[in-house]
Amino acid sequence: MPQHNSSSRHLGMGNVTEWNEFEFGITGKTNQAYFQLSVYDEGTIRVQASKNDHFEFNPYAVVQSPKAVPFSIKSDSNQITLTTSLLRVEILLSGFLIRFFTREGEFINEDDSLGISWIGTEVSCYKRVRPAEKFIGLGEKTGNLNRAGNAFTNWNTDYFAYGVGDDPLYMSIPFYIGIHEKANYGIFFDNTHKSVFNFGASTNRFIYFSAEDGDMNYFFIYRPSVSEIISGYTELTGRMEMPPIWSLGFQQCRYSYYPDSEVKTLANTFRDKDMPADVIYLDIHHMEEYKVFTFDGKSFPDPKGLITELKKKGFKVVVIMDPGIKIEKGYFPYDEGIQQGLFVNYPDGEEYQAQVWPGWCAFPDFTNEQTRAWWAEKMAFYTEAGVDGFWTDMNEPASWGQFTPNLIEFSFEGETVSHRKARNIYGMQMARSAQEGSKLNRKNQRPFILTRSGYAGIQRYAAAWTGDNVASEEHMLAGVRLVNSLGISGVSFAGYDVGGFAGEASKSLFARWMSLGVFAPLFRAHSMINSNDAEPWAFGEEVEEISRNYMKLRYALLPTIYSKFYQSTQDGLPLSKSLAISFPHDPNVFQTAYQNHYLFCDHFLVAPVESTRDIAKVYLPKGSWYYLYSDKFYLGNQEIYLETPLNYLPVLVEESAIFTTQSPISHSGEAPDGVLSIHLYKGEKENQFIHYEDDGESYEYLNNGFFKRIIHYSPAEMTLILQESTGEFESKYEQVNLYLHGFQTDVITINGKSKPTRTTNYAFLNKLSEFDPLPEHEQPYYEIESLVYASFKHLRSKTIISGLF
């Protein structure tokens, strides 16, 4: 029988037939395809392969250009070897198979013998697996922390009330980190088509990643540690800007708060009940017939007056924006979109229409620069009313029927592509347009954009939330894993709907979820229409008081949280950090019982637990740990049992930790009492904390308008040093209270002068009231007894505290 080339069969690269060096690496041909390897930096190599003589370009994810770093190329009859200061990359001439080693020769990763290949337009890369190799990341993906044995699809999907194991969801970030006994590495597959990552589902031969069309285009990232790999990935795809400080406070949302009187009552209740909060959302019922860039004249007759009144109480207002533009002549956004050719069309030029909340809609083509600029200008409608932030929803894009035709066309910055290539980046480009609109219309004010959909690099434009979750114990824990996975994948600013969007939270579930939300980057409660009230006071007095305690703790921790957000803008590392980042070779952190554990702001070990459990089994990694609420001391590398009453979420603090707190405030714009509390935990490891302040809202921090100092702890020298501050911003704190956890110091020395310490009983959470007639549960109360502390002035100059033992 004659052999025929069939597009339904596997087609490999074939052998290398020619190759050449160029400024950043090598380029060449095989029997079947073209290839290029580019050195982006010492530890990042871009691998491209295409059946065409040119490579596709994705203008959206990568912001880094190749750096001019030294590398060498050698070759013999079997292979080409490319070497940098961190990597040795071997390209076998037979089959174009790639192997990655450290410069010292330690194995990292290699292709399976099937290598890079095609089945029709589908392009894949097959990789060999090391024994017990683990895989983490991939952004907003359900399932276990370790992805091994499972497969995942990247195709942005509107998925109401998704299951805790369902896939795909709203966001696609095709980046994962491999961990084995020899090394760690990252792979970012920058292809916006629907893609699959198979980490050993239905096969024991290899793992692979593939896309239904487009080029093989992946970045191989090697660094010595998982943290450095994440930093390398975010250097490649960008890092978030400094957010406004109000976006780090508590945010209250509901589908929907209306009319305006209900919004006013909501705001007043927060203040009357002494429950700190910063943000109120207006969901789709603020609009006239759900049309974007409108207010409903009946429910919101004076939106500017309403927002002005809310601002006087310290609230910011965030409005929802959906992409669908109602097809209605005389509705200016629709008329303008038609006149200017800004909507997504069919290939014959006819406008694409689908049904969403307003009815039949057209959809702006956010991959068109002209459309993004137009949308940004239209947002003046909101900013003129005083709106502070923008929530981009339904931007997968979603429509009734959930089956968008693939032939519709998008500009893609002038390339013109189908829905197959554009869908996964549509939501990201809407978020980009919202950010640009906020910057355009709110001069020198930092934007807050919250998005449901996105792609790799979304962290440059928006915070993310995990969509339409469910009020259940398992969803609460799944949300933790989703946020932690987003953090591994470059999205530091993320959260979940506290209390659950769909369904009804029990009293205990809501209380536990509120306590957990304090230790998430985004702290937002949200609930669905036609459900019971779900504000923090809607579940009875006990839950109200537990919620208040934890909300106050969130605001006490704002100096730490804000400083860590600043740090993330510099290194791309998450605030909610899976234990797999810091302890990748500790098998316990991948166990089902412990995979939800994470470090918040580097040193708070949070052990999420269902509200129905009275005792939790907690794993403590290496080191030493203190129970947050009592300072009880534990050695690491062990499993412990903690009681988990509803008013105490299991949280421990790592040895040598440094963090800061402030006095109670009702919102982030309210001035604290001028005392910065520095908490230092005795330990054997050196540590440092970067304390950072600025005005919390403008871009003056880019012009030296900040206050920053390094606080360094040396156990060997028994010192804590507050380095001289940098920046021109005046700190809002005039005094320091230094709390010495685990120390027995009677006298310390401050800049050479002796100062006796004092002691106090200290509580991070207030005691619950004794409710009448009886509380639903007997709740304990913890405080740190006889905590050593000292007070001194908060100066710009260097301050040395010694004698810490």
Side-chain angles (χ1 to χ4, degrees):
M1 294 284 293
Q3 296 293 313
H4 297 284
N5 287 330
S6 170
S7 63
S8 62
R9 291 196 64 195
H10 168 271
L11 178 68
M13 288 282 290
N15 299 329
V16 175
T17 57
E18 63 179 84
W19 65 276
N20 297 286
E21 292 187 35
F22 78 108
E23 182 183 4
F24 296 109
I26 62 173
T27 185
K29 293 172 60 176
T30 68
N31 302 124
Q32 302 292 345
Y34 297 82
F35 69 86
Q36 184 166 291
L37 271 71
S38 306
V39 178
Y40 268 63
D41 59 40
E42 297 88 342
T44 304
I45 307 294
R46 183 183 190 182
V47 178
Q48 294 171 276
S50 176
K51 289 193 286 187
N52 300 313
D53 61 2
H54 62 278
F55 299 107
E56 291 189 357
F57 175 64
N58 172 13
Y60 299 118
V62 174
V63 295
Q64 179 185 344
S65 299
K67 295 179 180 178
V69 298
F71 64 88
S72 63
I73 295 176
K74 296 180 180 179
S75 65
D76 57 29
S77 58
N78 296 317
Q79 68 185 43
I80 308 163
T81 303
L82 186 157
T83 305
T84 73
S85 62
L86 283 178
L87 277 171
R88 189 178 86 226
V89 185
E90 297 178 355
I91 304 101
L92 303 186
L93 300 179
S94 177
F96 187 73
L97 304 176
I98 304 176
R99 301 187 298 203
F100 297 90
F101 301 84
T102 67
R103 186 183 176 95
E104 294 74 30
E106 198 71 74
F107 173 84
I108 307 173
N109 178 264
E110 66 177 334
D111 288 349
D112 181 83
S113 59
L114 295 171
I116 295 171
S117 58
W118 287 265
I119 302 174
T121 63
E122 181 184 273
V123 61
S124 303
C125 181
Y126 298 89
K127 295 283 188 181
R128 287 186 176 169
V129 184
R130 297 291 294 177
E133 186 167 358
K134 299 175 179 67
F135 306 96
I136 62 174
L138 277 193
E140 191 183 59
K141 294 296 179 189
T142 59
N144 291 324
L145 169 62
N146 181 12
R147 307 300 188 186
N150 295 282
F152 302 89
T153 299
N154 288 312
W155 186 243
N156 291 353
T157 301
D158 173 14
Y159 201 148
F160 172 74
Y162 54 90
V164 297
D166 288 342
D167 182 70
L169 299 183
Y170 310 88
M171 193 170 288
S172 297
I173 303 179
F175 168 69
Y176 74 89
I177 294 173
I179 298 167
H180 57 74
E181 79 283 0
K182 298 295 184 181
N184 318 302
Y185 64 91
I187 287 181
F188 168 43
F189 180 32
D190 189 14
N191 183 316
T192 64
H193 289 88
K194 181 187 287 187
S195 61
V196 168
F197 283 71
N198 187 335
F199 297 110
S202 304
T203 178
N204 61 2
R205 173 172 173 174
F206 44 60
I207 66 106
Y208 68 89
F209 45 94
S210 66
E212 65 178 16
D213 206 338
D215 288 351
M216 177 51 57
N217 175 33
Y218 75 87
F219 293 82
F220 186 88
I221 304 170
Y222 168 72
R223 302 287 193 276
S225 70
V226 172
S227 291
E228 291 170 289
I229 290 168
I230 296 171
S231 289
Y233 167 75
T234 56
E235 185 175 7
L236 195 65
T237 59
R239 293 168 182 156
M240 69 173 175
E241 294 184 0
M242 198 66 196
I245 194 168
W246 55 263
S247 65
L248 311 187
F250 181 70
Q251 307 188 18
Q252 183 67 52
C253 187
R254 181 175 175 84
Y255 163 39
S256 297
Y257 289 119
Y258 72 103
D260 56 357
S261 58
E262 184 176 349
V263 178
K264 293 175 185 178
T265 300
L266 178 74
N268 289 335
T269 308
F270 274 109
R271 298 299 179 243
D272 291 345
K273 289 183 174 290
D274 188 27
M275 304 184 87
D278 266 275
V279 181
I280 292 174
Y281 282 71
L282 300 181
D283 207 325
I284 59 174
H285 288 90
H286 83 269
M287 296 181 269
E288 176 189 309
E289 298 177 343
Y290 308 130
K291 293 184 290 187
V292 69
F293 308 124
T294 68
F295 279 101
D296 182 342
K298 293 182 179 178
S299 294
F300 294 91
D302 182 14
K304 188 171 185 178
L306 169 66
I307 294 171
T308 299
E309 187 174 333
L310 293 174
K311 286 181 185 295
K312 289 178 181 177
K313 298 181 184 297
F315 285 99
K316 306 294 184 181
V317 173
V318 174
V319 295
I320 195 169
M321 295 194 301
D322 291 345
I325 301 291
K326 184 176 176 62
I327 297 164
E328 179 182 286
K329 289 186 178 181
Y331 172 42
F332 285 129
Y334 178 70
D335 292 344
E336 291 175 355
I338 289 293
Q339 292 164 7
Q340 298 177 39
L342 304 178
F343 295 140
V344 175
N345 293 324
Y346 290 103
D348 60 6
E350 183 177 327
E351 164 194 307
Y352 167 65
Q353 300 178 359
Q355 283 183 298
V356 208
W357 296 114
W360 287 100
C361 291
F363 292 82
D365 181 1
F366 292 108
T367 71
N368 181 342
E369 183 179 6
Q370 183 183 354
T371 304
R372 292 194 298 271
W374 167 77
W375 186 274
E377 291 169 1
K378 301 307 292 181
M379 285 170 60
F381 171 83
Y382 290 122
T383 57
E384 287 169 3
V387 168
D388 302 283
F390 301 91
W391 171 24
T392 60
D393 194 15
M394 305 290 286
N395 54 340
E396 290 72 33
S399 60
W400 307 155
Q402 295 280 51
F403 216 90
T404 306
N406 275 335
L407 81 169
I408 61 174
E409 293 187 335
F410 300 76
S411 167
F412 217 80
E413 312 309 317
E415 182 182 343
T416 306
V417 303
S418 77
H419 175 251
R420 294 170 70 209
K421 186 171 183 178
R423 181 177 184 87
N424 280 343
I425 53 83
Y426 184 85
M428 175 185 183
Q429 294 312 295
M430 183 182 180
R432 173 186 181 181
S433 186
Q435 186 197 65
E436 291 170 354
S438 185
K439 289 182 176 181
L440 174 69
N441 295 295
R442 301 175 70 248
K443 302 295 185 185
N444 200 31
Q445 297 291 301
R446 296 177 217 167
F448 172 68
I449 312 299
L450 182 63
T451 187
R452 189 168 75 176
S453 182
Y455 182 75
I458 184 61
Q459 65 271 11
R460 304 196 305 269
Y461 305 122
W465 99 102
T466 59
D468 295 342
N469 64 355
V470 178
S472 69
E473 304 283 347
E474 64 262 29
H475 249 277
M476 177 177 67
L477 300 182
V480 169
R481 292 196 299 280
L482 287 170
V483 168
N484 292 349
S485 185
L486 283 164
I488 292 168
S489 312
V491 183
S492 296
F493 200 177
Y496 32 72
D497 286 347
V498 170
F501 178 68
E504 308 278 0
S506 66
K507 292 181 177 183
S508 62
L509 175 60
F510 187 85
R512 178 53 46 84
W513 219 328
M514 281 293 287
S515 65
L516 198 53
V518 168
F519 298 94
L522 177 73
F523 187 20
R524 184 183 93 133
H526 188 30
S527 56
M528 191 176 171
I529 197 170
N530 297 325
S531 63
N532 293 335
D533 288 352
E535 292 72 41
W537 52 81
F539 296 86
E541 291 178 313
E542 185 179 60
V543 174
E544 177 181 325
E545 198 156 319
I546 292 171
S547 298
R548 180 184 298 108
N549 274 349
Y550 275 95
M551 294 163 81
K552 285 178 175 289
L553 178 60
R554 173 73 172 205
Y555 280 79
L557 287 170
L558 271 185
T560 294
I561 296 170
Y562 195 64
S563 294
K564 292 299 182 180
F565 263 89
Y566 165 75
Q567 192 63 35
S568 186
T569 68
Q570 304 301 299
D571 60 21
L573 294 179
L575 278 81
S576 288
K577 190 181 292 185
S578 165
L579 294 186
I581 296 176
S582 299
F583 308 98
H585 301 293
D586 184 341
N588 289 311
V589 308
F590 297 96
Q591 289 186 22
T592 304
Y594 307 126
Q595 65 178 348
N596 300 325
H597 290 21
Y598 65 98
L599 292 172
F600 184 66
C601 291
D602 291 333
H603 298 299
F604 294 100
L605 173 58
V606 182
V609 60
E610 297 94 331
S611 69
T612 53
R613 289 171 60 185
D614 298 322
I615 296 177
K617 194 176 178 183
V618 176
Y619 176 66
L620 304 180
K622 67 179 180 181
S624 300
W625 303 86
Y626 297 78
Y627 186 57
L628 173 64
Y629 312 105
S630 68
D631 270 3
K632 184 176 180 180
F633 180 80
Y634 296 90
L635 292 174
N637 274 328
Q638 67 163 327
E639 300 165 329
I640 64 170
Y641 289 91
L642 287 178
E643 292 185 358
T644 57
L646 202 54
N647 56 330
Y648 285 104
L649 176 73
V651 180
L652 295 103
V653 183
E654 189 176 15
E655 65 168 315
S656 302
I658 305 166
F659 66 86
T660 52
T661 58
Q662 66 181 9
S663 65
I665 53 175
S666 60
H667 58 88
S668 64
E670 187 174 277
D673 66 2
V675 177
L676 179 69
S677 295
I678 300 176
H679 296 263
L680 173 65
Y681 287 73
K682 189 176 184 179
E684 298 179 358
K685 302 188 297 185
E686 283 204 25
N687 188 32
Q688 72 175 32
F689 172 83
I690 297 176
H691 172 70
Y692 179 85
E693 301 176 49
D694 58 31
D695 64 20
E697 56 185 14
S698 79
Y699 284 98
E700 291 305 309
Y701 71 96
L702 298 176
N703 300 313
N704 219 32
F706 58 82
F707 179 97
K708 182 172 67 172
R709 76 175 344 140
I710 295 171
I711 304 174
H712 183 266
Y713 171 51
S714 172
E717 298 179 4
M718 295 189 291
T719 59
L720 183 73
I721 300 175
L722 282 62
Q723 299 288 1
E724 182 177 358
S725 68
T726 59
E728 298 174 357
F729 185 77
E730 287 295 327
S731 173
K732 61 173 75 80
Y733 307 105
E734 300 164 355
Q735 179 180 309
V736 170
N737 282 354
L738 173 62
Y739 292 95
L740 298 169
H741 298 261
F743 293 86
Q744 302 298 322
T745 306
D746 294 325
V747 178
I748 60 173
T749 302
I750 302 176
N751 289 338
K753 294 183 179 181
S754 294
K755 185 179 182 69
T757 60
R758 292 179 283 176
T759 61
T760 186
N761 291 349
Y762 188 96
F764 282 103
L765 298 174
N766 291 333
K767 183 176 174 59
L768 294 186
S769 302
E770 295 184 6
F771 296 103
D772 186 32
L774 286 172
E776 295 179 29
H777 312 278
E778 280 295 332
Q779 304 292 18
Y781 172 63
Y782 295 114
E783 62 182 8
I784 303 163
E785 296 181 356
S786 301
L787 178 60
V788 176
Y789 77 102
S791 302
F792 51 90
K793 287 185 177 180
H794 188 220
L795 304 174
R796 283 189 171 274
S797 56
K798 184 176 182 179
T799 303
I800 302 174
I801 300 101
S802 56
L804 303 176
F805 60 87

